[in-house]
Amino acid sequence: MNKQELKRLIDDRHRAGKKVALSFCSHVPEEVLEAAGLCHFRLPYMEGMEDSASRILINNVCPLVKNVCDICEDPALSEADLILAETSCDGKKKMYELLTNQDRLYFYQVGQGADRDYVRPLIKSEVRYLIRELEKRFGIAVTDADLREAAKRVNEERESVLELMAVQRAFPPAAYGMEIYQALEESRTLPELKDRTSANRRAREAFLARKSPVSPDARRILLTGCPMSGVYEKIIHGVEANGGVVVAIENCEVMKTAVRHFDTEQENLMEAFADCYQNTACAIMSPNLRRFALLRQLAAEYEAEGVLEVTLQTCHPYTVERDRIQQLCKNELQIPYMAVETDMTDSDTGQLTTRIAAFIEML
Amino acid sequence: MANELPQNFEEFAEARREGFLLMKELKDKGRQVCGTFCQYTPAEIIHAAGLKQVGLCGRSHLPIKTAETRLPANLCPLIKASFGHVMEDSCPFAYFSDLVVGETTCDGKKKMYELMAEYKPMQVIHLPNVPDYDRSLEMWVSEVRKFKEGLEAHFHIRITDEMLNESIRWNNKLRTQQAHLYELGKYDPPAITGVDMNNVTDGFQFMFDDEEKYRKITRIIEECEKNWQEGIYPVEPDPIRPRLIVSGGGYAATNEKTINVIEELGASIVCYEGCCGISSLRRKVDEDESRDPIVRIAEKYLEVPCAVVSPNKRRMEQVADTIDEWKADGYVSITLHSCNPFAVETENLRRVCAGKGIPLLHIQTDFTPGDEGQIRTRIEAFLEMIREKKREAISHE
């Protein structure tokens, strides 16, 4: 998506009397935003932004943080009503503090682990604070019934992502990873949750209705690591033009978010929030046991033959966690593993392709 | 008395090296040691447990190569050096630590501790991200309590409220003295140089006899004040000498190319802010013993002005106040390569300084040689700019 399209969407929602919230992280509870009647986007990498990052930020910071900074500062998007500034990684949380329009921000606090005693109470209390904030800010009321209904829609969207990914379990997988990623990139930018769900389902049906274009000999690659929206083309192309096929994507744009489920039947809704968001396999969690469990599960379910980790430069949570992921693959899963580090430019495409090709050839 | 002063300072400057031997003696006597990294680690609890506390932040570029076999190269040198030392067993303080206490401050350290736990017994304290009483005190109290219980379990001891209360009183007393040391910089000319101020506070971490440590710092403060009253100054009075505040985190290993050069080039560092700086020292633990000591300890540490919390308004207010109180003409933020929290936040400091009409110099460096020349040139230009401003201000008076 480019900013003109997003601007059009924002204007369009405003005309329909809706407020628009932007977020950049899977820790932000979508159910709350949906229940508050907001149009909410968890934005992918956006091209064509005006450069603000080089003025505001130090140079050695993750390219995604720079992109989020550009998005939040871009005059074309100044009409968005709310930005969820979550305290996930250092780079992002500190960047949010430097943004010009602080009134448009709300800081949502994220815990640093999944299984400590404080984590569940913290999620519950932060969700309550967020609800109260939205009620105050937009003069609305968010009821339990609203939250339950919203959660059903969010669940459906998550399930549609899981089902779309699941077409890759077949031999050969029903689609190229590139097709799946592109379908998800497109559906993510639809303004309504139910439209995102239908788009994912349509994509799935289209893949299943045709004969798979993927060679039965293609090596099955599990992608893991940082958000890949700004780099997926060169990475997935590197895999799929060199005898591989991406069968699963373990990152927060795809599986980390989609595997979470909100129990809409749970009597105490706050408990349901805690269950759902505690189960976030993000590298800012220490230790991040859920990611190890998720990788084990996906490697088995998708019968991966190789694990390719993609990290963005200066993303400390994921780059430091690499060591243990490598051990998991090597010692426990016994699946070949390779890590590549990249950024949003094209300058490393050749080198990346060579390394990925060599990795696949070795499998 | 005055000619004894340098000797006292020397003692602090050498404390780290001497500390190796002291620590060995303590260990031989059966004392147990807790290695720490961060201002957030509640010293009151470690002290109450009868443990000796020592700082483990790495300062050498030597173990970095070893660390990079497991850590990414693009990571803060302090994190890599600290981890490399543990991998190599090349830091006596880490070697002698019975327990290492980490905290989830920055992303790099937090994730590194997961690997360090393969080498040393560790406890990691989780920190709040939003420094807000309503939203974060409860989780933070739960973590501080968990830390206390963790020490009790690890060392098979019991830490009573009485022990905590006594420790709180003692640490408040010690902290007040440390704050006084920084307050010597409020004089014009300052009653202590910034390099000596730093040597004393840094050396402090490696002196393990509490009473003696307190006596020594008290004596230094008294002597400095007495000298100043008698007109004996550590630097010549000079109306255009730049008065600077230095801030940042974990840059002790870069002193020779940063703070030493600043003073060598004729400026005075009048105060330090940030990690180990003035704000943490002035905020005491409430001594009202009718309240739960763990809650009181947590309250103090919720206000640590570290760059890892967001939004960090409290730090910005403290910076603004410190500039006024110490009458600073300039601000130097020293950050280590890849330290996202302090480096990104420097932009916010720059804005606070701009609001106060003073310039900020941001030095990003690491533990390897090579950038001394470039840093020196930038410091020179920065100081010249401040002197020019001060000259102008005087000529307008």
Side-chain angles (χ1 to χ4, degrees):
Chain A
M1 182 159 63
N2 66 43
K3 72 175 173 191
Q4 291 312 329
E5 288 169 52
L6 180 58
K7 180 177 163 38
R8 235 185 347 264
L9 283 172
I10 295 172
D11 292 345
D12 186 51
R13 293 294 99 185
H14 281 166
R15 271 193 296 276
K18 270 201 157 189
K19 302 285 185 192
V20 178
L22 306 180
S23 70
F24 304 94
C25 175
S26 63
H27 285 286
V28 175
E30 281 181 273
E31 292 81 358
V32 177
L33 306 178
E34 178 75 7
L38 301 170
C39 167
H40 52 99
F41 294 102
R42 178 136 57 80
L43 289 179
Y45 176 75
M46 301 264 293
E47 290 189 15
M49 309 308 299
E50 269 180 36
D51 170 36
S52 304
S54 63
R55 176 170 49 84
I56 297 174
L57 296 173
I58 50 164
N59 192 39
N60 188 18
V61 78
C62 155
L64 192 74
V65 172
K66 291 181 184 172
N67 189 243
V68 174
C69 176
D70 289 343
I71 292 171
C72 296
E73 289 289 287
D74 200 296
L77 305 177
S78 62
E79 295 301 312
D81 303 278
L82 175 68
I83 289 172
L84 277 305
E86 86 299 337
T87 65
S88 55
C89 59
D90 292 338
K92 257 204 285 173
K93 80 185 167 192
K94 298 315 289 182
M95 173 275 294
Y96 288 129
E97 290 185 61
L98 301 176
L99 297 175
T100 312
N101 184 354
Q102 290 286 313
D103 292 341
R104 194 160 62 139
L105 296 184
Y106 177 74
F107 280 86
Y108 179 79
Q109 180 163 224
V110 179
Q112 309 280 302
D115 302 300
R116 306 279 278 211
D117 295 343
Y118 74 87
V119 173
R120 292 180 65 88
L122 183 70
I123 294 172
K124 292 187 239 176
S125 112
E126 283 295 310
V127 165
R128 279 195 207 98
Y129 274 107
L130 176 62
I131 293 172
R132 235 175 286 162
E133 171 69 22
L134 296 181
E135 289 181 328
K136 200 172 86 196
R137 201 178 272 240
F138 299 119
I140 51 168
V142 178
T143 65
D144 275 9
D146 294 336
L147 287 168
R148 273 181 219 280
E149 283 310 306
K152 282 180 195 159
R153 292 194 289 276
V154 178
N155 275 344
E156 277 191 17
E157 200 247 349
R158 290 185 187 126
E159 277 151 26
S160 73
V161 175
L162 289 182
E163 285 163 9
L164 178 57
M165 192 83 259
V167 305
Q168 298 302 79
R169 290 190 197 177
F171 281 80
Y176 282 111
M178 186 72 92
E179 297 176 293
I180 306 257
Y181 219 97
Q182 276 166 348
L184 288 169
E185 284 276 295
E186 275 171 38
S187 77
R188 276 208 288 162
T189 54
L190 295 170
E192 297 293 332
L193 264 184
K194 61 178 189 334
D195 295 335
R196 295 176 203 167
T197 307
S198 335
N200 291 337
R201 285 180 180 156
R202 275 200 307 279
R204 174 176 184 271
E205 279 154 24
F207 293 142
L208 291 176
R210 65 174 192 191
K211 184 178 176 297
S212 169
V214 181
S215 154
D217 301 327
R219 297 297 180 184
R220 303 170 67 87
I221 303 297
L222 168 58
L223 286 187
T224 184
C226 289
M228 265 174 252
S229 176
V231 300
Y232 77 92
E233 286 178 330
K234 60 183 175 184
I235 299 289
I236 299 184
H237 184 264
V239 171
E240 301 192 331
N242 289 290
V245 58
V246 171
V247 289
I249 301 151
E250 192 277 324
N251 74 1
C252 57
E253 290 159 335
V254 188
M255 294 304 261
K256 278 191 212 297
T257 305
V259 293
R260 293 185 305 205
H261 179 77
F262 189 103
D263 182 2
T264 54
E265 303 301 313
Q266 162 75 259
E267 199 174 327
N268 182 334
L269 276 178
M270 292 303 137
E271 295 295 334
F273 273 109
D275 287 334
C276 181
Y277 285 90
Q278 192 177 19
N279 186 23
T280 305
C282 168
I284 70 150
M285 300 301 191
S286 187
N288 189 12
L289 302 178
R290 316 246 160 173
R291 183 177 179 209
F292 292 78
L294 184 55
L295 279 171
R296 280 185 199 105
Q297 180 198 330
L298 295 178
E301 285 177 359
Y302 288 82
E303 301 186 48
E305 295 170 277
V307 174
L308 177 61
E309 172 141 49
V310 182
T311 54
L312 297 172
Q313 282 161 10
T314 330
C315 172
H316 299 151
Y318 278 97
T319 56
V320 178
E321 192 160 278
R322 243 171 7 207
D323 181 85
R324 300 188 73 198
I325 297 294
Q326 179 173 20
Q327 288 179 40
L328 170 83
C329 293
K330 196 173 140 204
N331 303 336
E332 190 190 319
L333 302 178
Q334 297 180 340
I335 298 177
Y337 165 95
M338 186 177 76
V340 293
E341 195 160 303
T342 186
D343 64 14
M344 275 52 158
T345 65
D346 291 333
S347 57
D348 62 353
T349 307
Q351 181 242 63
L352 274 177
T353 309
T354 310
R355 288 191 58 207
I356 293 171
F359 175 64
I360 293 172
E361 201 175 334
M362 183 202 76
L363 297 175
Chain B
M1 285 302 264
N3 57 1
E4 262 182 55
L5 263 184
Q7 214 177 328
N8 280 345
F9 286 135
E10 198 61 22
E11 200 177 341
F12 278 95
E14 296 297 313
R16 190 162 183 268
R17 208 174 314 151
E18 297 294 317
F20 294 156
L21 294 172
L22 287 176
M23 173 135 290
K24 182 158 186 318
E25 282 169 25
L26 285 168
K27 291 290 290 189
D28 289 344
K29 283 184 204 151
R31 293 302 293 263
Q32 286 175 307
V33 176
C34 203
T36 63
F37 289 93
C38 177
Q39 279 296 314
Y40 270 110
T41 307
E44 286 78 3
I45 298 179
I46 295 173
H47 187 262
L51 303 167
K52 292 293 173 189
Q53 181 175 349
V54 66
L56 298 184
C57 289
R59 300 171 176 211
S60 161
H61 68 278
L62 296 174
I64 288 181
K65 253 203 139 38
T66 307
E68 284 178 356
T69 60
R70 298 197 64 186
L71 293 174
N74 187 5
L75 191 69
C76 152
L78 186 150
I79 297 175
K80 288 191 285 191
S82 309
F83 182 62
H85 274 314
V86 168
M87 278 179 86
E88 292 175 345
D89 251 342
S90 56
C91 166
F93 294 127
Y95 174 80
F96 284 129
S97 292
D98 298 281
L99 179 73
V100 174
V101 183
E103 17 44 51
T104 64
T105 47
C106 60
D107 291 337
K109 264 207 279 172
K110 159 174 91 176
K111 299 305 287 183
M112 176 274 281
Y113 293 139
E114 295 176 17
L115 303 181
M116 193 177 266
E118 294 173 20
Y119 303 83
K120 295 292 288 185
M122 286 214 57
Q123 266 188 46
V124 178
I125 309 173
H126 283 220
L127 304 180
N129 263 290
V130 173
D132 182 287
Y133 275 81
D134 290 340
R135 281 170 67 178
S136 302
L137 187 62
E138 191 184 317
M139 70 119 327
W140 179 224
V141 167
S142 135
E143 282 295 308
V144 174
R145 208 179 298 284
K146 205 180 172 73
F147 174 57
K148 186 204 100 168
E149 289 163 2
L151 288 187
E152 290 177 325
H154 186 87
F155 292 103
H156 309 290
I157 49 171
R158 208 172 100 67
I159 304 171
T160 63
D161 283 3
E162 288 71 46
M163 290 154 101
L164 287 170
N165 282 328
E166 202 211 310
S167 175
I168 286 170
R169 280 194 300 274
W170 167 251
N171 279 285
N172 277 346
K173 194 174 139 186
L174 198 60
R175 234 178 243 128
T176 308
Q177 267 331 42
Q178 286 179 276
H180 279 158
L181 185 80
Y182 284 151
E183 282 156 1
L184 295 173
K186 285 162 69 172
Y187 290 102
D188 190 9
I192 184 172
T193 70
V195 169
D196 284 334
M197 204 185 252
N198 177 72
N199 282 341
V200 174
T201 43
D202 190 55
F204 233 60
Q205 304 180 61
F206 307 104
M207 295 181 155
F208 307 109
D209 183 329
D210 291 330
E211 296 291 345
E212 195 188 326
K213 185 152 94 170
Y214 185 81
R215 265 199 311 277
K216 279 182 179 158
I217 193 170
T218 307
R219 198 164 138 226
I220 281 184
I221 293 166
E222 286 168 1
E223 286 176 3
C224 286
E225 286 199 313
K226 186 165 159 282
N227 284 347
W228 197 90
Q229 302 300 347
E230 290 170 0
I232 306 166
Y233 310 125
V235 291
E236 288 304 309
D238 175 359
I240 62 160
R241 184 189 300 280
R243 297 172 57 85
L244 307 180
I245 295 172
V246 167
S247 98
Y251 54 80
T254 73
N255 287 350
E256 279 183 27
K257 53 184 170 183
T258 56
I259 63 169
N260 293 7
V261 174
I262 290 171
E263 295 215 319
E264 183 199 315
L265 292 173
S268 282
I269 297 168
V270 293
C271 193
Y272 293 87
E273 186 276 332
C275 199
C276 313
I278 183 68
S279 316
S280 271
L281 299 174
R282 279 187 164 177
R283 174 68 167 87
K284 285 184 239 168
V285 177
D286 177 16
E287 293 187 9
D288 175 1
E289 292 183 9
S290 67
R291 298 177 59 224
D292 181 350
I294 295 292
V295 174
R296 288 183 278 129
I297 290 170
E299 286 168 351
K300 180 234 160 10
Y301 286 93
L302 190 65
E303 295 192 10
V304 170
C306 174
V308 299
V309 294
S310 289
N312 205 358
K313 289 186 187 137
R314 196 179 284 122
R315 180 174 182 213
M316 297 307 132
E317 286 160 13
Q318 286 170 349
V319 165
D321 292 345
T322 310
I323 291 170
D324 288 341
E325 197 178 336
W326 269 261
K327 299 194 170 55
D329 310 306
Y331 216 90
V332 182
S333 170
I334 305 172
T335 64
L336 297 174
H337 282 316
S338 296
C339 172
N340 280 335
F342 277 104
V344 177
E345 185 151 288
T346 296
E347 174 59 24
N348 237 346
L349 292 177
R350 190 191 305 282
R351 294 174 189 177
V352 173
C353 289
K356 291 278 168 196
I358 68 170
L360 178 139
L361 175 68
H362 186 187
I363 299 173
Q364 294 193 71
T365 184
D366 64 15
F367 298 173
T368 55
D371 57 359
E372 300 90 343
Q374 181 245 63
I375 292 174
R376 176 179 285 264
T377 308
R378 291 184 61 215
I379 293 173
E380 271 168 346
F382 183 70
L383 298 183
E384 200 36 54
M385 179 179 73
I386 294 174
R387 287 196 188 97
E388 195 49 46
K389 245 176 85 180
K390 293 188 86 159
R391 258 185 228 114
E392 243 173 66
I394 291 171
S395 68
H396 283 147
E397 268 170 16

